Structures are given as C-alpha cells and as structure tokens.
C-alpha cells in the first residue's frame, strides 16, 4: 500500500480532482486506474493564503510490493511512502478460569467497549447501568429541559452511552495508539451507524442525535454475542473476602440482588458520586485528583467561522472550532491554567444536572452542527489545594463540585444562571441579551455569576479572556454569554490500579473517565479495551467468532 500525504485541493472539489493529483504525483498515465482510500482529511486555514483541503490517502495500484518500492524510489517524494496499517488484535487468552461471569458497572464508552471485546471472546459479560436505555433516557432528558423534572438516575450524566451521549460526540484524542485501538473504535462506530467520514476527518464527531442510535445498536450486538444488560440497576455494594472480590449487590426498583462474580469493571463515569462514597467505605484505594471548573461561553458561530476561515466564502465549510489557552496569576498569586474545553460548534448549552438542588452545565451539538451559536467551556484548573480540607480525603473534590453546583442552583432558582461577559466584569446582573440570544436546552435566567466561583478565580478568568481576544477578536465582546457552572470536566477522583489495570482489591478493574484514566469518548473507549485485554491475558475462554 502506498501512502501519499499533503494532497492539497480547493475547498470546492470532486473525487476526480484527487485522482488527478495522485496520478501526477505517482507519474501514472491519465488512463491508469487508481483505487484509493482517504486516511486523513483536514483544512489548511492559515492566515494569508487560500483555503485548501489537505488529504492523506492510501493508494492500491494492484501491483506487487517490490514494484511499489521501486515506484516510490522513482518518484522520490518525502510525502510518498509505503505503509502497513496496524490491525488491532485481541491478546491471546489466558489460562486462569473464571467461576462466574464478569460484571461491568456502567454503559458509557469504557463499559461498552470493554463489554464488546469480552463478549466477542466468550466472556458473556453482565452490564449493569443505573440509567435507562438511550432512547428512554432521551425522553427523560428532553422532559427535564422542557419542564424541569429531574430523574436523578436518567439524565445527561446517567444512562446508556454515558455523559458523552449528550455532548458533541467528539472523537478526537491525544492518546498514543501503537496497536490500533483508536481505529478499531472508529470502525466499530461506523459499523453501527456513524458516518464513515469519522475514519479520516480531523477532529471527528458524531453528534448527540446519531449517538443515541449507535450505542443502542452496539448494545444489541453485545447481547447477540452473549452479553446481558440490566438497566435501571445500580451498584450498591461490593463484597470482598481475603482481599478479593467475591460478589456485588445491585438495586433495581427497590429490590436488592446479590451477584456472585470474580471480576468487576468499574466504568462508573465521573458523576457517580454515591458509588465513589460506597467504594471508599469499603476501603478501595483512591485519591483526589485535579480537574477544572468555570463557565460555558457562547458567541455567534458566524463570528468564529469568519475569523477561523479568514473571511472566506463559508459555503461548504463545516462550522469552525477553536482552542485557546492561557496561564494567569489568580487572586492569591498562584498561576492557573485557563483554557477552552469541549468546544461545540453550532451547539447548545445544556442543563446537565444529576442531583436535586444542584446545577451543572455542559455543551452539546447535533450531527449537522447547524445551531446559530458556538459554545465552549472556559475553565480554570483546580487542584486538591482548592478543595475544602485539601487533598487529605479522596472525596474532597466531590464536595468542592457540589458546593459550586448548589450555588449555581440558588443563583438561578433551579434555572441556568447566565450573565453577559461585560456585565460579569462590571459586577452587575444582565437585563437582556445583546446582539444574539442564548441557544440553551433548559430554562435560563440572568444572575450575578461573580458569586459563583471562588473570588481568587475571577482575575485569571478575566485576564485570560483578554488574551483570548488577541487570538480571536471579539472573544471578550460585551454580549458574550456566560452560563454556570461547568463543573463536570473530568473526574475529581482517581481509583488506583496497577500496571495490569487491577485495584489492590483483587478482581476489581477501575476503568475509563470516572476512574480517572480517560478524558472523552475515545480515550474512555480505548481504556475499556485495555481493561478487556488485561482480563483476556489472565483468564481463559473459548473465543466467539463474529459472524
């Protein structure tokens, strides 16, 4: 296979334009047939030049490998090379026998992909999920946004697909991937209904509207392969004998059930606060970890597009995204990282609450990203030193989150509290939106967000906003809309595990974002795969060949 990088074509182009470029670069005749597959696609939008799409393609000329090698030597181009794609393979099964089927707590990306691999290889996992199926969960979430009726077990945080289902469905990751896990995850999503362009576009995403159907399809496949799902079923207790897990207790519809098991995968998500408390009560080793808190900020999407694409004709271009970072001193003299997070082009600010009397926000986009506003979290890093009681207790970060969410709930009387950025700087409550209105899911009201974050965090936030305006003019515009509070950026807890992904309590495998080992759909799914691999390397099962 021949890989060609840096194929530049105009924004408006056809497949034949790429073919012509390939033939020219490889010194082929115009009549020669060319089979190619797109491997990567990005847009070159550097200032001062015409916009281009930039392709990396894999070309199959249906010739022998030694002929490919001679051809590459002949064309002598640093952007043309031989390539062998890394095909993901599950490790050889171990020999230790399981007495009972493994239990996976949580059906977010980590839990689903762990279950998928285990099911494919004969382990018949039992997945327990406190929330509902994705479609039922969607109905509960939409009712909450419309009427304010919160189901504390079925919401933006809890239910099939995890918290990422009601976000943007971003699939980019910085995790190094020498064994092909990332490609496997993307291909699995495509097999279950995602657009095939996620295999190659820069910063791929699926969108909330598509994710609901995809995770449901993946669940059906896991069941077909021998797995079982129990929804509206919460992990209530773990039972340990001689330093090893022997059983778990679940609760569903008020009824408890004791399940014998050798293995428990804790893919519980970053908002499973009651589960963290239960695990700490059973002395499962864990620690408080840093995360970040702040606001959602909205701008007109067209403003972001015009800047990022340098005023070009926007026809045919995807809604633009951005990433901004700064480091600024806070009110106590400490340097704090301030940065954008989970940027949602053409998206919505959503009420992402999961506990009564508390309020948290997140961002969400549909597959088309055709909303009028761009939104992103603008957040400040926090460490255990910021938590009440510091890092002396592993759950102090949860206490810090809860206090901020209680303030947000009080400020908005249960609605999303908002403030124009100019009014936030001036310390006065906004009365009206400016040149554009908020795109929000859930009731909103104006409030004084200066009362929300700790006082020492306001100076670095304002300083960073001014720096961001140097990158994107208008970022600090008076009528930019702030919404609070963004508090669920990542888990405030890390459940400790060894190099074999196992807790000090034998048979328990902490996994994914909630356990502190991932930060998004892709990294969580890949961590779920790693845990499944660790189980496969230790325990033996007859493999199931996928039909």
């Amino acid at each position: 296979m021949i890989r060609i990088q840096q194929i530049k074509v105009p924004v408006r182009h056809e497949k034949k334009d790429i073919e012509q470029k390939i033939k020219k670069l490889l010194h082929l005749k115009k009549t020669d047939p060319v089979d190619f597959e797109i491997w990567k696609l990005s847009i070159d939008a550097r200032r001062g030049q015409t916009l281009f799409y930039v392709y990396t393609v894999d070309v199959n000329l249906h010739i022998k490998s030694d002929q490919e090698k001679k051809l590459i030597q002949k064309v002598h181009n640093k952007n043309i090379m031989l390539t062998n794609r890394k095909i993901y393979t599950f490790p050889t099964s171990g020999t230790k026998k399981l007495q009972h089927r493994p239990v996976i707590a949580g059906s977010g990306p980590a839990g689903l992909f762990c279950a998928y691999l285990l099911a494919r290889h004969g382990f018949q996992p039992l997945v327990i999920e406190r929330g509902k199926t994705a479609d039922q969960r969607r109905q509960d979430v939409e009712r909450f946004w419309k009427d304010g009726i919160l189901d504390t077990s079925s919401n933006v945080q809890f239910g099939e697909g995890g918290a990422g289902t009601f976000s943007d469905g971003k699939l980019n990751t910085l995790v190094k991937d020498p064994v092909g896990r990332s490609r496997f995850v993307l291909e699995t999503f495509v097999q279950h209904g995602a657009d095939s362009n996620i295999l190659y576009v820069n910063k791929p995403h699926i969108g909330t509207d598509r994710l609901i159907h995809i995770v449901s399809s993946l669940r059906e496949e896991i069941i077909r392969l021998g797995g079982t799902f129990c929804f509206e079923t919460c992990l209530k207790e773990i039972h340990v004998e001689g330093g090893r897990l022997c059983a778990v207790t679940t609760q569903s519809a008020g009824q408890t059930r004791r399940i014998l098991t050798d293995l428990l995968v804790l893919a519980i998500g970053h908002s499973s606060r009651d589960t963290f408390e239960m695990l700490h009560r059973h002395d499962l080793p864990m620690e408080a970890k840093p995360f970040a808190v702040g606001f959602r900020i909205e701008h007109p999407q067209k403003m972001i597009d015009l800047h990022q694409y340098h005023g070009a004709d926007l026809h045919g271009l995807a809604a633009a995204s951005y990433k901004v970072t700064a480091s600024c001193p806070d009110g106590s003299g400490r340097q704090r990282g301030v940065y954008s997070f989970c940027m949602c082009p053409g998206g919505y600010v959503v009420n992402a609450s999961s506990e009564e009397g508390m309020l948290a926000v997140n961002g969400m986009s549909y597959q088309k990203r055709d909303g009028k506003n761009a939104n992103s979290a603008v957040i400040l890093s926090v460490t255990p030193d910021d938590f009440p009681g510091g890092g002396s207790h592993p759950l102090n970060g949860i206490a810090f989150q809860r206090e901020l969410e209680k303030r947000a709930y009080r400020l908005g009387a249960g609605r999303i509290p908002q403030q124009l950025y100019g009014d936030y700087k001036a310390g006065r409550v906004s009365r009206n939106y400016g040149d554009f209105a908020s795109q929000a899911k859930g009731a909103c009201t104006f409030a004084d967000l200066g009362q929300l974050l700790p006082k020492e965090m306001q100076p670095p936030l304002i300083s960073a906003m001014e720096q961001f305006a140097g990158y994107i003019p208008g970022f600090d515009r008076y009528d930019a809309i702030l919404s609070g509070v963004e508090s669920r950026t990542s888990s405030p807890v890390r459940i400790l595990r060894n190099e074999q992904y196992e807790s000090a309590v034998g048979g328990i495998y902490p996994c994914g974002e909630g356990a502190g080992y991932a930060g998004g759909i892709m990294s969580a799914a890949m961590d779920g795969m790693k845990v499944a691999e660790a189980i496969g390397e230790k325990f033996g099962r007859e493999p199931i060949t996928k039909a």
Side-chain angles (χ1 to χ4, degrees):
M1 189 78 75
I2 297 173
R3 177 163 293 175
I4 307 177
Q5 301 174 332
Q6 293 294 311
I7 297 178
K8 292 188 176 183
V9 295
V11 170
R12 296 184 183 181
H13 66 276
E14 299 177 358
K15 182 180 179 180
K16 66 180 181 180
D17 299 317
I18 305 171
E19 291 179 352
Q20 290 172 0
K21 289 270 188 177
I22 292 171
K23 291 178 180 181
K24 183 176 181 180
L25 288 166
L26 294 180
H27 301 172
L28 302 176
K29 297 177 182 178
K30 290 183 179 180
T31 55
D32 287 341
V34 171
D35 291 334
F36 72 92
E37 181 181 351
I38 302 168
W39 186 250
K40 288 184 181 179
L41 172 62
S42 61
I43 189 165
D44 190 336
R46 286 175 290 180
R47 186 173 295 278
Q49 67 174 33
T50 304
L51 269 64
F52 287 96
Y53 278 115
V54 183
Y55 285 88
T56 295
V57 299
D58 286 350
V59 182
N60 186 357
L61 297 178
H62 303 286
I63 58 178
K64 295 179 180 179
S65 58
D66 59 333
Q67 292 175 303
E68 288 181 333
K69 187 175 181 180
K70 288 179 181 179
L71 177 61
I72 288 174
Q73 290 173 342
K74 181 180 178 180
V75 299
H76 191 60
N77 185 323
K78 66 179 182 180
N79 290 318
I80 302 176
M81 64 208 73
L82 290 176
T83 183
N84 288 311
R85 294 186 183 179
K86 184 67 178 180
I87 305 299
Y88 172 76
T89 56
F90 194 75
T92 303
S93 291
T95 57
K96 190 173 181 180
K97 297 300 181 183
L98 287 172
Q99 299 299 312
H100 309 282
R101 68 197 304 198
V103 174
I104 299 173
S107 66
L112 280 175
F113 274 85
C114 184
Y116 182 47
L117 286 186
L118 292 180
R120 285 183 63 171
H121 294 87
F123 286 88
Q124 299 180 328
L126 169 62
V127 182
I128 59 173
E129 166 59 57
R130 75 165 67 203
K132 299 179 183 179
T133 64
D135 190 58
Q136 292 173 316
R137 177 187 180 198
R138 175 185 58 80
Q139 297 175 44
D140 291 335
V141 169
E142 290 179 351
R143 182 172 62 251
F144 171 56
W145 288 338
K146 181 177 181 290
D147 301 325
I149 301 171
L150 175 65
D151 184 330
T152 56
S153 293
S154 180
N155 48 59
V156 170
Q157 307 298 341
F158 298 137
E160 185 177 30
T165 302
F166 289 90
S167 62
D168 185 50
K170 297 177 186 64
L171 301 177
N172 46 300
T173 179
L174 300 178
V175 175
K176 292 182 179 180
D177 183 33
V179 301
R181 294 187 189 96
S182 177
R183 182 76 178 185
F184 178 86
V185 172
L186 294 175
E187 288 176 347
T188 301
F189 280 137
V190 171
Q191 291 165 11
H192 291 277
D195 194 309
S196 60
N197 68 12
I198 68 170
L199 296 173
Y200 54 81
V201 295
N202 186 38
K203 299 180 181 178
H205 87 289
I206 295 178
T208 288
D209 46 339
R210 297 290 293 278
L211 266 171
I212 290 171
H213 306 292
I214 290 166
V215 298
S216 298
S217 175
L218 185 54
R219 178 235 306 161
E220 291 170 359
E221 177 68 359
I222 293 168
I223 293 171
R224 189 188 73 79
L225 292 167
T228 303
F229 281 76
C230 294
F231 291 100
E232 299 181 70
T233 301
C234 188
L235 176 66
K236 299 301 290 185
E237 297 289 341
I238 59 173
H239 303 280
V240 178
E241 292 181 359
R244 288 199 61 84
L245 178 78
C246 62
V248 299
T249 294
T250 63
Q251 186 176 67
S252 178
Q255 300 295 313
T256 59
R257 175 189 175 196
R258 185 183 174 99
I259 302 171
L260 299 178
T261 184
D262 309 279
L263 298 177
L264 171 64
V265 177
L266 289 171
I268 55 178
H270 59 41
S271 295
S272 299
R273 294 165 173 173
D274 56 342
T275 307
F276 288 128
E277 291 167 352
M278 179 273 290
L279 296 171
H280 181 259
R281 192 169 66 248
H282 285 281
D283 297 321
L284 195 74
M286 60 180 70
E287 64 185 11
K289 63 175 279 292
F291 56 103
V293 298
F295 303 121
R296 276 274 144 186
I297 188 166
E298 294 179 80
H299 299 95
Q301 181 63 49
K302 189 173 182 179
M303 181 193 104
I304 302 300
D305 292 343
L306 289 172
H307 177 266
Q308 298 296 78
Y309 294 135
H310 314 306
D313 180 2
L314 301 179
H315 178 75
L317 295 174
S321 63
Y322 61 80
K323 175 71 176 178
V324 288
T325 64
S327 179
C328 307
D330 68 11
S332 64
R334 294 167 52 194
Q335 288 291 124
R336 286 192 189 269
V338 187
Y339 53 97
S340 60
F341 171 78
C342 186
M343 194 270 156
C344 295
Y348 299 82
V349 173
V350 304
N351 190 330
S353 304
S354 62
E355 290 183 290
E356 295 287 359
M358 303 181 208
L359 190 145
V361 296
N362 196 7
M364 182 189 84
S365 294
Y366 294 119
Q367 198 270 337
K368 290 184 178 180
R369 286 179 165 175
D370 55 359
K372 294 180 180 179
N373 292 357
N375 77 72
S376 173
V378 174
I379 50 178
L380 303 92
S381 57
V382 294
T383 70
D385 290 339
D386 295 298
F387 307 158
S392 59
H393 194 287
L395 304 185
N396 282 349
I398 293 177
F400 180 73
Q401 286 179 321
R402 279 176 162 160
E403 177 55 33
L404 295 182
E405 292 172 18
K406 288 175 183 176
R407 292 181 194 175
Y409 187 90
R410 290 194 298 266
L411 284 171
R415 294 169 288 180
I416 298 172
Q418 295 185 326
Q419 192 172 19
L420 303 188
Y421 175 66
D423 292 331
Y424 175 77
K425 283 180 64 178
R428 58 175 171 261
V429 176
S430 302
R431 295 188 176 183
N432 298 289
Y433 295 120
D435 288 342
F436 69 104
S438 177
Q439 295 269 283
K441 299 288 188 178
C444 304
T445 189
F446 290 119
D448 181 7
L449 296 184
Q451 299 180 37
L452 187 47
L453 299 180
K455 292 297 182 184
E456 64 270 17
M457 292 186 183
Q458 187 162 329
L461 180 65
I462 292 173
S463 178
M465 286 288 293
E466 293 171 354
Q467 290 186 47
F468 299 159
Y471 311 138
I472 302 176
F475 198 90
D476 64 345
R477 58 190 284 169
Y478 190 100
D479 62 350
I481 304 165
L482 300 179
S483 299
V485 59
E486 179 91 20
S487 53
R488 311 283 183 94
T489 54
S490 66
S491 181
V493 176
R494 178 173 289 111
I495 305 174
L496 303 183
R497 68 187 188 189
N498 61 22
E499 292 183 358
Q500 290 71 47
Y501 303 94
E502 193 170 9
S503 168
V505 177
I508 294 182
Y509 289 80
C511 181
E513 188 164 351
Y517 296 99
I521 292 172
M522 286 298 293
S523 59
M526 292 164 69
D527 198 59
M529 293 175 67
K530 292 175 185 177
V531 168
E533 291 161 15
I535 293 170
E537 288 174 348
K538 187 173 183 179
F539 299 95
R541 282 290 192 198
E542 287 296 319
I544 289 178
T545 301
K546 186 176 179 182

